[in-house]
Amino acid sequence: MTYIPKKNSYYSRSHTAMNLINMDSENRVVLNVGGIRHETYKATLKKIPATRLSKLTEALANYDPLLNEYFFDRHPGVFAQVLNYYRTGKLHYPTDVCGPLFEEELEFWGLDSNQVEPCCWMTYTQHRDTQETLAVLDRLDLDTEKPSEEELARKFGFEDDYYKGTLSWWQETKPRIWSLFDEPYSSNAAKIIGVVSVFFICISILSFCLKTHPDMRVPYVRNNSVQTANGSSGWFLEKTQTNAHIAFFYIECVCNAWFTFEILVRFISSPNKCDFIKSSVNIIDYIATLSFYIDLVLQRFASHLENADILEFFSIIRIMRLFKLTRHSSGLKILIQTFRASAKELTLLVFFLVLGIVIFASLVYYAERIQTNPHNDFNSIPLGLWWALVTMTTVGYGDMVPKTYIGMFVGALCALAGVLTIALPVPVIVSNFAMYYSHTQARAKLPKKRRRVLPVEQPRPPRLPGQSGGVSGCGTPGSGPNSGPMGSGGTGPRRMNNKTKDLVSPKSGPIGASIVAMSPRTMLDLNPALAMVKPTFESRGPPITSKDFKDTDKNTTDASKKNFL
């Protein structure tokens, strides 16, 4: 009769629990990103197909079989949000990471940056506005540093001749002249010429304004002869007009002579003639200079015309020379660029103003006609347009005012609507100016020469067992050109780690040290790439017996005694 033992229920439950634990551990995966280990399920990474994490296999080069983990040398902070995206399906933007870095990390993991949640979208896209601002500042050329000769040659199209060393005299002189007259901060001489140019601009504007003052003008007196009643002749002086003092004419001649010389030199030495002509500041410059010569011709040949004074109105273009100061002031460049960037907000402001002006002008026109009003100032809607414009802009000249109660109520609504309409777009314009100004100041404080990043050195390829000079060589003592007394394939005592040094006892001798150095655990510590390779030990010569160990210990002891004596 055969005895069949009864199955132990406790053992079966334990065995089942162990199987479940093993199955759960097989379904989990460990990801080491930037030194921070993350653990999740493989099914979680399969939620988003066609990505890097959904294609993990043990055949990848970044898989470590000893630690049973995948290593990625990427940003750990971004990966936390990436892994959370796999778990929850929602991608959030970390506030402590720059936008371009976040996009690069998402591109590496194979994710789409457009999947960022709406709550983080404004913060995430802020870096794009910053990049656009930096691109605008690059076009404004706010850099006050002196350009190198190579940059000048590339700007003027002489880079081929510069590299060959065959630059002509004009090719060497032309960039210097251009830097001298167009880049005020390139050298001390350029700063002097810039100061002279600003001086003549200020003198020209000051002369244009002062010559209209009555104390600065000379009256034009004409002697008229008349016949008196008693038949005798007489004369009297008549003041017909006043002209500017002759000194202003000479001042304008000197100033315009400098402007003419400057614009000709800049045109001849410009790197691109078409861009020079199409530049808005240059258009103002040569039109203002040309107006002076046109004014001279008109005074010479058209002074006898009745409406000749109207022609002087066109000389107001000379006041636009103030925009030439943008070449010397980065603040003016930023101000002009602020209005360009805020064109939509300014257009919206004008549209709202026009809409409110038309509405309130019509309302106040009919409101003043409802009640009896003998002193009504609003005789038509066009007159009400002027009142609505002055009221909405909070100027309030007081030349036209409503006098009825209904008209006063309409006037109050017009003033409130004007305050709200103007106040809404103004913060946008102010923020644009602050953004450009802050970036300009930051660029001025940044170092011009950045630190050069060294290239990543390629790791040494793993060596197979038996190769000379390798870390994992298993040759005999002295095999290899640089082998040490330990015979570990050229590793020597300097290649031993702390564990190997601790394992080798002082009495083990060279053979014992060789055996420890060639142990599988030590080889894996020195070269993890051989983790999946089973180490083999090849015996060379007769087998080592206990007698050999005794002889070795005896020789070692004798040598120690000799060294001691």
Side-chain angles (χ1 to χ4, degrees):
M1 183 176 179
T2 306
Y3 174 73
I4 300 175
K6 187 177 180 180
K7 192 175 181 180
N8 193 348
S9 59
Y10 175 77
Y11 173 78
S12 62
R13 288 196 301 268
S14 301
H15 185 69
T16 305
M18 291 299 297
N19 291 335
L20 293 176
I21 292 174
N22 292 333
M23 291 177 60
D24 184 71
S25 62
E26 291 178 357
N27 292 329
R28 284 183 292 178
V29 61
V30 179
L31 305 173
N32 188 342
V33 181
I36 299 179
R37 301 175 75 250
H38 302 267
E39 191 170 358
T40 184
Y41 290 101
K42 295 180 180 179
T44 303
L45 302 180
K46 299 293 183 182
K47 290 182 179 180
I48 306 177
T51 57
R52 186 179 294 271
L53 294 179
S54 64
K55 303 176 181 179
L56 293 179
T57 60
E58 295 183 358
L60 296 176
N62 57 350
Y63 176 71
D64 190 350
L66 290 180
L67 301 177
N68 192 21
E69 67 180 20
Y70 296 88
F71 177 75
F72 297 93
D73 192 13
R74 307 300 297 185
H75 196 284
V78 177
F79 182 75
Q81 301 298 331
V82 171
L83 188 58
N84 184 67
Y85 179 45
Y86 280 89
R87 291 168 176 165
T88 62
K90 296 181 180 181
L91 181 60
H92 293 276
Y93 172 69
T95 57
D96 58 341
V97 177
C98 188
L101 175 60
F102 185 67
E103 289 183 345
E104 291 177 2
E105 292 296 318
L106 291 182
E107 183 180 359
F108 174 80
W109 298 112
L111 300 178
D112 188 7
S113 60
N114 294 327
Q115 300 298 324
V116 177
E117 290 298 309
C119 59
C120 303
W121 184 253
M122 291 300 296
T123 309
Y124 165 63
T125 56
Q126 187 177 4
H127 74 278
R128 299 179 182 176
D129 299 334
T130 302
Q131 290 175 341
E132 294 178 359
T133 303
L134 295 177
V136 170
L137 295 179
D138 290 336
R139 291 196 301 268
L140 291 179
D141 193 16
L142 298 176
D143 194 1
T144 58
E145 292 293 324
K146 181 180 179 181
S148 62
E149 295 181 357
E150 183 178 358
E151 294 175 349
L152 288 176
R154 188 181 300 110
K155 183 177 182 179
F156 283 82
F158 303 151
E159 60 268 18
D160 295 336
D161 296 333
Y162 175 78
Y163 293 137
K164 295 178 183 178
T166 59
L167 290 175
S168 62
W169 173 83
W170 175 242
Q171 289 177 338
E172 293 180 354
T173 308
K174 185 177 179 180
R176 297 176 183 175
I177 297 176
W178 173 258
S179 301
L180 202 63
F181 282 85
D182 197 76
E183 297 176 357
Y185 299 96
S186 59
S187 62
N188 293 330
K191 292 180 181 179
I192 295 174
I193 292 180
V195 171
V196 173
S197 179
V198 172
F199 172 76
F200 279 112
I201 291 173
C202 296
I203 292 297
S204 176
I205 300 302
L206 187 63
S207 173
F208 179 79
C209 297
L210 289 180
K211 71 178 184 180
T212 59
H213 195 274
D215 295 338
M216 300 292 179
R217 300 183 67 87
V218 178
Y220 180 78
V221 180
R222 185 172 58 181
N223 188 1
N224 294 328
S225 298
V226 294
Q227 295 290 332
T228 59
N230 55 6
S232 61
S233 60
W235 57 273
F236 68 95
L237 300 177
E238 181 182 6
K239 177 183 176 182
T240 57
Q241 63 181 4
T242 57
N243 295 328
H245 197 276
I246 192 64
F248 293 107
F249 173 75
Y250 294 116
I251 292 174
E252 288 188 356
C253 287
V254 174
C255 293
N256 282 273
W258 167 259
F259 295 144
T260 305
F261 169 75
E262 183 184 20
I263 197 171
L264 288 177
V265 171
R266 292 178 62 241
F267 177 76
I268 293 173
S269 62
S270 63
N272 193 328
K273 302 294 190 298
C274 295
D275 293 341
F276 182 86
I277 294 175
K278 291 186 295 183
S279 177
S280 58
V281 177
N282 293 332
I283 290 175
I284 294 174
D285 193 8
Y286 51 71
I287 288 180
T289 306
L290 189 63
S291 67
F292 171 75
Y293 297 104
I294 294 176
D295 193 16
L296 288 180
V297 174
L298 293 178
Q299 288 181 3
R300 176 70 176 175
F301 300 101
S303 59
H304 60 281
L305 299 178
E306 294 181 358
N307 296 328
D309 294 338
I310 300 178
L311 300 177
E312 294 184 359
F313 175 78
F314 295 99
S315 62
I316 199 173
I317 191 84
R318 301 176 196 174
I319 206 73
M320 304 297 291
R321 278 202 183 103
L322 287 173
F323 288 100
K324 289 182 62 177
L325 297 177
T326 55
R327 292 194 296 113
H328 309 274
S329 174
S330 59
L332 287 177
K333 289 183 180 180
I334 296 173
L335 182 61
I336 294 174
Q337 185 58 38
T338 300
F339 287 115
R340 289 180 180 176
S342 308
K344 294 182 180 180
E345 288 77 13
L346 292 174
T347 304
L348 190 65
L349 173 62
V350 172
F351 174 75
F352 286 157
L353 280 177
V354 171
L355 188 65
I357 286 170
V358 174
I359 292 175
F360 287 107
S362 303
L363 289 177
V364 76
Y365 171 73
Y366 289 104
E368 289 293 295
R369 294 171 63 88
I370 292 177
Q371 297 180 2
T372 304
N373 187 9
H375 304 286
N376 186 11
D377 295 331
F378 301 92
N379 297 322
S380 64
I381 292 181
L383 290 176
L385 294 176
W386 166 253
W387 169 84
L389 174 62
V390 172
T391 304
M392 291 191 69
T393 55
T394 66
V395 176
Y397 288 117
D399 52 348
M400 297 176 61
V401 293
K403 297 180 176 62
T404 63
Y405 292 107
I406 300 178
M408 293 178 184
F409 179 73
V410 172
L413 293 179
C414 181
L416 292 175
V419 170
L420 296 177
T421 302
I422 296 176
L424 290 178
V426 167
V428 179
I429 301 174
V430 174
S431 64
N432 288 336
F433 180 82
M435 178 178 61
Y436 284 113
Y437 186 78
S438 61
H439 282 295
T440 304
Q441 296 298 319
R443 283 165 58 94
K445 295 178 181 179
L446 284 176
K448 302 302 177 183
K449 294 182 179 180
R450 300 296 183 90
R451 181 179 180 181
R452 183 172 62 90
V453 180
L454 297 177
V456 179
E457 296 182 357
Q458 296 297 330
R460 179 180 297 177
R463 297 180 181 270
L464 296 176
Q467 293 181 353
S468 61
V471 179
S472 59
C474 298
T476 57
S479 62
N482 299 322
S483 62
M486 300 174 62
S488 57
T491 56
R494 296 183 180 179
R495 296 296 181 93
M496 294 171 56
N497 53 16
N498 295 330
K499 294 182 179 179
T500 307
K501 291 180 181 179
D502 296 337
L503 292 174
V504 180
S505 61
K507 299 183 180 181
S508 61
I511 297 178
S514 177
I515 294 174
V516 174
M518 292 188 296
S519 63
R521 183 61 183 174
T522 307
M523 292 169 61
L524 292 179
D525 292 339
L526 295 177
N527 195 349
L530 300 177
M532 301 301 295
V533 181
K534 183 177 180 180
T536 58
F537 300 92
E538 181 181 359
S539 62
R540 297 184 181 181
I544 302 174
T545 61
S546 59
K547 181 180 179 181
D548 296 331
F549 280 104
K550 293 179 180 179
D551 296 339
T552 304
D553 295 339
K554 183 179 180 182
N555 295 334
T556 306
T557 307
D558 294 340
S560 302
K561 290 180 179 180
K562 290 180 180 180
N563 295 331
F564 177 75
L565 293 174

